[in-house]
Amino acid sequence: MSMSRIITKALKSYSINKDISLKELYELVGLSNENRNAWNKGDIKGKIQTDIQEILNSCNLKKSEVDGAISNLMIHFLYRNYKYNEDVSRELEFIYILKGVCSFDELHDNSKCNKLKLYKIRKFLKLSVWYLCIFPYEGFRGEAIIEFCEDNFPKQVRFAQNMIEVETLCSNTEIWEGKIINKSIITVDLIKRIEDRIARYGSSQFMKILISIYRDKYSNEDGLIRNKIPSLKFLLFLTLKVDTDKSCKYDIIRGRGKFEPKVIFRLTEAVEILNDNRVDNKYAFMFMDNPIEYLKKIIYYDSLYKDTQYPPESVLLLLSAIINDNKELFVEKFEMLPEQFLEISQSIIKYSIKEIEKGKDAKLSISPSDILKIINKDNKINNDVIIKYFEKMVASGSLNQTYDHPLKMDGITSDSEWLIPIREECDLTCYLPLPPIQCFGLYDKTMKILNFPNIGVTFENIVRKRLFDATYTEVYTGKYLYNNKVYESDGILILDKLVILIECKTKPLQRTSRSGNIGEAMTDLGLSFLYSTMQAYRCELSFREKGRIDLFDTSISDDEIKKGNATPLHVLQLPNDADFIRLSCTTFNYGTFIEKPVIPNLFSLFMGYKFSNEALKKFKKLQYISRITDELDEIWTRLEPYYIKNIEDEHDFFNKITFNTSLVPFGLLYMYTNNTSSSSSFKDKLKMYLYLVIDEYNSYTSLSYVNNLFFKS
């Protein structure tokens, strides 16, 4: 018998009369009733909860398994209501009560427990039904429970409604207890049908529909795209797969049959909900229960919904520095001058944004002739140079060809491309770029042609220059001696009592990581975020313990510094009551991992999670990350006296030590430092941003809010 039927039967078999006396309730749950004056429902509630918890702790179930089973049961009963109009209000009330009473001891070790035996299942159900009868939730009755679920459990509601939709779309759908048990088969089938419909509609025509939708989501206020259509990102990648397929297998079915584009969107929404990872509330990423599931939740959310964006001007600024530091190599590879390349890139961005801002009148393509009309001729840019640029920067191969699932980001190649050709055109005409999203493609394509030169020093220099230009205050760098070892700081900026420590890393989050490979994700995050923040904390500790920091020129050997033969280039004194901020700067946008509520959880994950021997063997770099966490733990221990002033603060040490630490992509740093009139305005804006949390899990929204406050003031 299915669990749903067992629950329905239990509700009939174990329900008790609402008029039952306290004395009878005491006897029912097995409580002593000697003292009649002390009878109360609180004792009964405590006894039932204790008995339920004992049953759960005696079995080998995990909390995540119980939560998943309860969620599936809710989906099942909602599905029965939506499809067959069944009255399942009592069952849904029971499921809601289960969510509250099913808890586990924190130290519970389920590996030492046995499977839940039948008599215990019966006892568990009996106790739960009693709990429902004695302590019913007064907030709903009848139809109100459905409304309650729609307000409070949107994900389960979406799943239930989507099961009906998928059944309609796919006759081979197999449903059991709130789950589509052949989900992977259905997903593959639906994706093939989406690709077929895109081809039949005409991939270039459909591509322009998607561009126009993105165009309508463009914000003139901050130059970013505010897309809230869940399936749009997935559909864009899939359309590019069809449109750039060089095998031309779709040509033979193009134009076969007439249908509305909404058919494609309907199929896509069904696939997206089958793999639903939406964020339905502002607390979604604030709290971490299971570290691995937490990482997956963020990765899959970003894979499906979050368009990774970069302010176009920040990309041009970064590219300008990289190209000028590799000028000979650039001229050899691109056959033009750096200033010509940058001028054409900037013209394409300006042209695209101007078209986007036209709204419905926008031209959804771009060609060399369009750029020739608007280009600045001062850099001796003629039609031949522009054509050469397009020939170098236009995507030439089939894109996203192994992308066959919405969560498999390792199948994506289009996000490393800048200009996508319209296959029906033959004169280098391309789709209109969406600069905030595709500017990473401009960066990555350029770096690929240059064979990815080492840009570590270049990036450090541009970060320091950006901060100097914003604050009119020198950003110091150099080697320093601590515990008879020589380390290097990428940047120290002192603004009154505020000390900003900057560490730079250029490592991206690889596509395998963005596809849910947790070992790779932890490696990427460990070698970028964790390592750079450990360096910043170490610099802070040295500064605090000595009351100053001596910075030596990076060209001086470590041995000379250790022997005391070197003269410091800068001696920085620690301000009184200093407040430290640590910025881990990256060239890559790490998506939701850069958000303020997520940062403490990343520290908790790395500092509290113990890698298995199997994981350490499989991912060798995790051994190095373990050493980083050990060193960071030692540094934090030595920093503790500076953060804990009294006993009351001890429990809050973790929050205090991690609060002013941020993972900052260069695009966000660019916005930090934009439109600052003084060091104090930059400092105030930065501190306000660090204190601010906006529900969207979007740092750009938070910073835009801060900028607006400063502009108004």
Side-chain angles (χ1 to χ4, degrees), residues 174-185:
E174 298 175 21
I175 292 175
W176 177 257
E177 297 287 280
K179 292 190 293 185
I180 296 177
I181 58 177
N182 59 338
K183 184 176 83 168
S184 58
I185 294 172

Side-chain angles (χ1 to χ4, degrees), residues 16-265:
I16 54 179
N17 193 311
K18 64 179 180 179
D19 297 323
I20 189 171
S21 68
L22 277 175
K23 177 183 177 183
E24 292 171 312
L25 286 175
Y26 262 63
E27 293 174 350
L28 186 69
V29 301
L31 280 171
S32 170
N33 58 1
E34 295 174 359
N35 188 353
R36 297 183 181 184
N37 297 323
W39 290 344
N40 66 81
K41 283 192 174 183
D43 291 341
I44 297 167
K45 178 183 281 190
K47 181 67 166 62
I48 293 176
Q49 288 176 330
T50 299
D51 288 349
I52 288 174
Q53 186 166 313
E54 284 180 1
I55 292 172
L56 290 173
N57 288 342
S58 70
C59 67
N60 62 354
L61 291 173
K62 296 179 181 178
K63 184 179 185 303
S64 58
E65 293 173 341
V66 174
D67 290 343
I70 291 173
S71 177
N72 287 334
L73 284 168
M74 180 179 286
I75 292 167
H76 169 78
F77 288 119
L78 286 167
Y79 164 79
R80 303 292 300 180
N81 174 265
Y82 290 133
K83 183 164 185 176
Y84 303 111
N85 201 29
E86 287 184 6
D87 181 7
V88 293
S89 55
R90 190 67 172 160
E91 284 84 352
L92 286 173
E93 281 187 62
F94 179 75
I95 296 301
Y96 181 70
I97 292 295
L98 277 186
K99 287 182 71 66
V101 299
C102 287
S103 60
F104 293 83
D105 288 338
E106 286 187 22
L107 300 178
H108 170 54
D109 182 4
N110 68 333
S111 64
K112 298 178 181 178
C113 301
N114 301 314
K115 288 185 177 180
L116 199 59
K117 295 183 178 179
L118 185 59
Y119 81 92
K120 285 196 173 183
I121 294 175
R122 288 184 182 138
K123 184 178 179 182
F124 169 78
L125 289 170
K126 185 185 292 186
L127 289 166
S128 300
V129 172
W130 288 351
Y131 191 96
L132 172 64
C133 295
I134 302 168
F135 307 102
Y137 182 71
E138 300 298 334
F140 42 69
R141 280 290 179 269
E143 288 185 4
I145 181 66
I146 302 297
E147 296 172 5
F148 178 85
C149 289
E150 289 172 347
D151 290 338
N152 294 278
F153 302 100
K155 184 171 184 175
Q156 285 80 358
V157 168
R158 280 198 302 274
F159 266 92
Q161 293 173 338
N162 196 53
M163 284 199 299
I164 299 170
E165 173 75 335
V166 171
E167 276 185 309
T168 305
L169 294 169
C170 301
S171 59
N172 61 331
T173 305
E174 298 175 21
I175 292 175
W176 177 257
E177 297 287 280
K179 292 190 293 185
I180 296 177
I181 58 177
N182 59 338
K183 184 176 83 168
S184 58
I185 294 172
I186 296 298
T187 298
V188 170
D189 180 45
L190 287 172
I191 289 175
K192 286 180 179 177
R193 289 164 67 181
I194 294 167
E195 292 179 12
D196 173 78
R197 300 306 187 275
I198 290 170
R200 286 166 58 182
Y201 185 82
S203 58
S204 60
Q205 291 93 316
F206 192 70
M207 183 67 187
K208 289 176 181 177
I209 289 175
L210 297 182
I211 293 173
S212 66
I213 294 172
Y214 269 109
R215 173 203 65 201
D216 294 340
K217 304 299 179 185
Y218 181 78
S219 168
N220 293 332
E221 181 183 344
D222 53 22
L224 299 173
I225 291 170
R226 302 297 183 202
N227 169 40
K228 292 191 177 181
I229 301 175
S231 55
L232 195 57
K233 180 180 178 181
F234 162 57
L235 194 49
L236 179 66
F237 288 148
L238 212 57
T239 304
L240 285 170
K241 174 184 179 180
V242 175
D243 191 60
T244 62
D245 185 1
K246 299 301 180 183
S247 69
C248 299
K249 63 185 178 184
Y250 291 110
D251 285 348
I252 58 173
I253 60 171
R254 182 164 285 142
R256 190 186 72 198
K258 297 287 184 181
F259 55 87
E260 294 293 322
K262 64 183 180 182
V263 172
I264 300 173
F265 286 101

Side-chain angles (χ1 to χ4, degrees), residues 2 27 37 125 166-167 207 261 294 311 323 349 352 368 404 454 523 530 552 582 593 622 625 636 645 672:
S2 69
E27 293 174 350
N37 297 323
L125 289 170
V166 171
E167 276 185 309
M207 183 67 187
Y294 181 82
I323 290 170
I349 291 170
S352 301
D404 56 5
N454 189 327
T523 298
L530 185 70
F552 299 87
R582 295 155 294 273
F593 286 114
L622 289 180
I625 291 170
W636 276 7
K645 305 300 182 185
Y672 274 158

Side-chain angles (χ1 to χ4, degrees), residues 316 320 323-324 327 330-331 334-348 371 375-390 393 418 442:
L316 286 175
S320 176
I323 290 170
N324 285 318
K327 191 169 182 177
F330 177 85
V331 173
F334 282 85
E335 302 174 56
M336 66 180 73
L337 297 174
E339 52 268 28
Q340 292 174 323
F341 176 88
L342 294 166
E343 182 68 38
I344 295 171
S345 298
Q346 188 169 44
S347 297
I348 291 173
I371 300 306
I375 198 75
N376 183 347
K377 305 298 191 296
D378 291 346
N379 287 320
K380 298 180 181 180
I381 299 173
N382 54 31
N383 191 51
D384 290 341
V385 177
I386 296 172
I387 287 175
K388 176 65 70 176
Y389 177 99
F390 272 70
M393 297 301 287
W418 171 223
L442 168 61

Side-chain angles (χ1 to χ4, degrees), residues 344 347-352 354-355 358 363-377 383 386-387 390 419 422 425 427-433:
I344 295 171
S347 297
I348 291 173
I349 291 170
K350 286 181 178 178
Y351 176 88
S352 301
K354 188 175 180 181
E355 289 299 316
K358 288 180 181 178
K363 183 182 175 184
L364 300 178
S365 63
I366 189 171
S367 68
S369 60
D370 294 320
I371 300 306
L372 184 62
K373 294 173 186 176
I374 64 170
I375 198 75
N376 183 347
K377 305 298 191 296
N383 191 51
I386 296 172
I387 287 175
F390 272 70
L419 298 171
I422 301 176
E425 306 284 347
D427 61 346
L428 294 175
T429 299
C430 299
Y431 294 110
L432 186 74

Side-chain angles (χ1 to χ4, degrees), residues 37 55 62 110 145 170 205 234 239 284 286 294 311 313 323 326 473 477 547 564 579-580 585 590 626 629 646:
N37 297 323
I55 292 172
K62 296 179 181 178
N110 68 333
I145 181 66
C170 301
Q205 291 93 316
F234 162 57
T239 304
M286 282 189 180
Y294 181 82
E313 300 85 357
I323 290 170
N326 296 272
T473 306
T477 183
D579 191 13
F580 281 80
C585 299
Y590 275 69
S626 292
T629 58
N646 49 60

Side-chain angles (χ1 to χ4, degrees), residues 667-681:
L668 192 60
L669 182 75
Y670 177 87
M671 293 179 71
Y672 274 158
T673 52
N674 222 16
N675 300 307
T676 55
S677 57
S678 65
S679 61
S680 60
S681 69

Side-chain angles (χ1 to χ4, degrees), residues 613-630:
N613 290 332
E614 183 181 349
L616 290 171
K617 288 178 183 177
K618 187 174 181 180
F619 301 98
K620 298 293 185 183
K621 290 179 181 177
L622 289 180
Q623 299 175 19
Y624 177 57
I625 291 170
S626 292
R627 292 198 292 272
I628 296 173
T629 58
D630 290 343

